[in-house]
Amino acid sequence: MHARELVEKTFIAPFVQKKKHFVGTELEFPLICSENRPIDMQVIEELLTYLLHQGFSVEETDINGRGVFLVNADGDCLSFDNSYNNFEFAMEKAVDLSHIANRFYKLYALVQNFLRKHGHSLCGCGTNPNYAVAELLPVEYPVYRTIRGFLERFSGNDYHSIPYFPAWLSSVQTHLDVSEEQLPQALTCMAELDFARGLLFSNGLPLVHDKAFEKTVCFRDYLWEKSGFGSLQDNTGPVCGEFVTCDDIVDMILKKSMFLKKQGNDFVTMEPVPLEAYFDGGAPESNIAAYLSFKNVEVTRRGTLEMRSDCAQPLGAAFAPPAFNLGLVTCLEETRSATARFFEKLLPELFQSPERNMILRRKAIYGELDFAEHADISAFLCELVAIAEQGLRQRGYGEETLLAPLYHRAKTLTCPAKIFRDRLQDGEEKNAILEDFSNPEKVF
């Protein structure tokens, strides 16, 4: 099978003739010790045992036999992502996002109540607030080990000084079912709105004290793009360009890099090579299982359109990004029309630029947008929230309530990272802010 056929089979075919339109989400949160010291691995062991007594079962273990992925009867999976400093709730897909949210908050309470009794907690931040005192504590799971080894090979002026950065980042990822016919337009539109999500959802303050980052509200992009992943051919960062047909999507994927291959039950790194050249050069088709890409918006082999650049949110707003993304795709034509008007009328200098998505995303997350010149950005964000609400109301599940914090954020051009930073500058204690960001009853 040629590379093009393999990509079509792996990434496009799953979108054909979808019977139901599910939504899925993965929510990660930093796990911290309340006393501002490294987390205690004994607490981790006890948490895993506790969850097994609460109806979870071990789906996979690390190389030492420790449970890594724990699953319950609903299909929800709890795990430590890359490091024991990062806890993930991978929620089983459903038609109704509200149903997923209800399941999540029950699981969150289960985990958080246990951790609190042991001097630890999950917190609603996009970067680990205890990074300065934490230890790496990597999860010894085969693919995590291989990626860690890959990233640690890159250092120097072109790369940052936090090689295994996935240990310190937490995000909320949205998986949406769209039809094959909708896919190119949905990918194009959600990639164009990468900057809007940065303005609304940024919650990742810098892990280093550097004047260059004093306005940065989403440090994750820098960490991804200035890492070893940034050395690959277009496997990370914003998605640029317009996709008219699924063939355009296939063309994009064929240019990305393969840098891993399967070796038995393990993964090993290899010299990066474009996917097209790799598989047309005789590589086994089964090696497509080792393909990894980390773009801000991805077409996945699960047959989903994934938004993966949104920071983890304060707990009271945990589902705002999935609700926003779901509502916009539900009203895709309205979203596309509003976005086109915004680019044509308010940003004519960028309208024709093939790099506009990257330029705008970087301006948004590094605090470089000129709000005096582009005062109508707030109006555009408000319009997007209204379109998302319209889409969710049409679905009829009451999911629009999950958008609650976005009306104020859009109106005031704020985000959780700015709220956190402002409160620190006003003299509040970090732990008091973290307490609020970890409280599902408080909405920011």
Side-chain angles (χ1 to χ4, degrees), residues 337-366:
S337 296
T339 304
R341 289 194 302 271
F342 172 76
F343 281 120
E344 289 173 0
K345 294 181 180 180
L346 302 179
L347 296 174
E349 74 281 7
L350 281 177
F351 183 64
Q352 299 299 331
S353 171
E355 301 295 313
R356 70 182 184 193
N357 296 351
M358 183 176 295
I359 293 168
L360 278 173
R361 172 76 182 186
R362 288 177 177 171
K363 283 179 177 292
I365 65 171
Y366 294 133

Side-chain angles (χ1 to χ4, degrees), residues 46 73 103 109 114 138 162 167 184 198 215 337-338 348 355 369 391 398 412 415:
E46 292 175 5
R103 294 203 320 267
F114 178 89
I162 310 175
K215 294 183 179 180
S337 296
E355 301 295 313
L369 276 174
T412 58
C415 63

Side-chain angles (χ1 to χ4, degrees), residues 7-64:
V7 168
E8 290 171 347
K9 174 185 174 183
T10 305
F11 296 99
I12 305 301
F15 288 88
V16 178
Q17 296 180 339
K18 281 184 174 283
K19 303 297 183 190
K20 287 187 177 181
H21 291 286
F22 291 102
V23 57
T25 186
E26 304 162 70
L27 306 102
E28 304 166 358
F29 300 97
L31 194 161
I32 61 174
C33 177
S34 305
E35 297 178 1
N36 202 36
R37 57 179 173 78
I39 60 175
D40 185 343
M41 282 303 298
Q42 182 62 35
V43 173
I44 299 299
E45 297 285 3
E46 292 175 5
L47 172 62
L48 292 171
T49 300
Y50 173 73
L51 290 173
L52 293 178
H53 290 154
Q54 299 300 313
F56 282 82
S57 60
V58 175
E59 185 175 65
E60 291 190 61
T61 64
D62 66 10
I63 63 171
N64 300 313

Side-chain angles (χ1 to χ4, degrees), residues 388-405:
E389 180 182 356
Q390 174 189 340
L392 296 178
R393 285 188 183 280
Q394 286 177 8
R395 287 168 50 80
Y397 299 115
E399 299 157 318
E400 61 273 9
T401 60
L402 300 172
L403 296 171

Side-chain angles (χ1 to χ4, degrees), residues 32 36-38 85 127-136 162 168 206-209 430:
I32 61 174
N36 202 36
R37 57 179 173 78
N85 296 281
T127 48
N128 193 301
N130 281 9
Y131 170 72
V133 299
E135 296 174 355
L136 182 59
I162 310 175
W168 312 110
L207 299 177
V208 296
H209 296 289
K430 182 181 79 170

Side-chain angles (χ1 to χ4, degrees), residues 3-287:
R4 175 169 287 275
E5 295 174 277
L6 181 60
V7 168
E8 290 171 347
K9 174 185 174 183
T10 305
F11 296 99
I12 305 301
F15 288 88
V16 178
Q17 296 180 339
K18 281 184 174 283
K19 303 297 183 190
K20 287 187 177 181
H21 291 286
F22 291 102
V23 57
T25 186
E26 304 162 70
L27 306 102
E28 304 166 358
F29 300 97
L31 194 161
I32 61 174
C33 177
S34 305
E35 297 178 1
N36 202 36
R37 57 179 173 78
I39 60 175
D40 185 343
M41 282 303 298
Q42 182 62 35
V43 173
I44 299 299
E45 297 285 3
E46 292 175 5
L47 172 62
L48 292 171
T49 300
Y50 173 73
L51 290 173
L52 293 178
H53 290 154
Q54 299 300 313
F56 282 82
S57 60
V58 175
E59 185 175 65
E60 291 190 61
T61 64
D62 66 10
I63 63 171
N64 300 313
R66 179 185 285 136
V68 174
F69 298 99
L70 277 63
V71 181
N72 66 9
D74 291 323
D76 301 322
C77 180
L78 306 187
S79 67
F80 294 93
D81 188 87
N82 285 280
S83 163
Y84 288 100
N85 296 281
N86 194 31
F87 194 83
E88 179 176 300
F89 300 79
M91 306 303 296
E92 177 65 13
K93 64 184 180 183
V95 173
D96 177 0
L97 185 61
S98 299
H99 179 63
I100 298 175
N102 290 336
R103 294 203 320 267
F104 163 76
Y105 281 113
K106 290 176 183 176
L107 291 178
Y108 174 79
L110 181 74
V111 174
Q112 186 75 322
N113 289 343
F114 178 89
L115 291 171
R116 295 269 195 193
K117 293 175 183 176
H118 295 79
H120 290 62
S121 69
L122 302 177
C123 62
C125 300
T127 48
N128 193 301
N130 281 9
Y131 170 72
V133 299
E135 296 174 355
L136 182 59
L137 301 178
V139 176
E140 299 295 350
Y141 184 66
V143 71
Y144 295 163
R145 284 164 53 93
T146 304
I147 289 175
R148 186 167 77 246
F150 170 80
L151 291 173
E152 288 172 349
R153 299 208 305 262
F154 296 86
S155 61
N157 293 335
D158 292 333
Y159 305 100
H160 57 65
S161 59
I162 310 175
Y164 200 47
F165 67 91
W168 312 110
L169 295 184
S170 299
S171 66
V172 51
Q173 296 150 24
T174 308
H175 289 267
L176 300 178
D177 280 350
V178 298
S179 67
E180 180 189 16
E181 292 74 26
Q182 276 188 316
L183 180 59
Q185 290 72 40
L187 172 59
T188 300
C189 186
M190 298 310 285
E192 288 176 333
L193 295 178
D194 209 1
F195 86 99
R197 293 195 301 277
L199 291 171
L200 291 170
F201 303 129
S202 286
N203 193 24
L205 292 175
L207 299 177
V208 296
H209 296 289
D210 189 317
K211 198 166 184 181
F213 300 121
E214 62 183 0
K215 294 183 179 180
T216 299
V217 290
C218 181
F219 200 49
R220 61 177 293 111
D221 290 47
Y222 173 81
L223 291 175
W224 279 99
E225 294 169 35
K226 292 294 183 180
S227 73
F229 293 137
S231 71
L232 303 173
Q233 176 67 38
D234 206 31
N235 284 48
T236 191
V239 175
C240 293
E242 182 177 4
F243 303 91
V244 178
T245 69
C246 286
D247 282 341
D248 297 333
I249 297 173
V250 173
D251 289 339
M252 173 189 66
I253 295 173
L254 287 171
K255 294 174 185 174
K256 294 187 182 184
S257 295
M258 290 288 299
F259 70 102
L260 297 179
K261 60 182 178 180
K262 287 293 292 283
Q263 193 170 81
N265 294 323
D266 210 344
F267 293 85
V268 296
T269 57
M270 64 183 189
E271 191 67 26
V273 58
L275 192 146
E276 184 172 27
Y278 181 68
F279 287 106
D280 279 346
E285 293 175 17
S286 60
N287 273 6

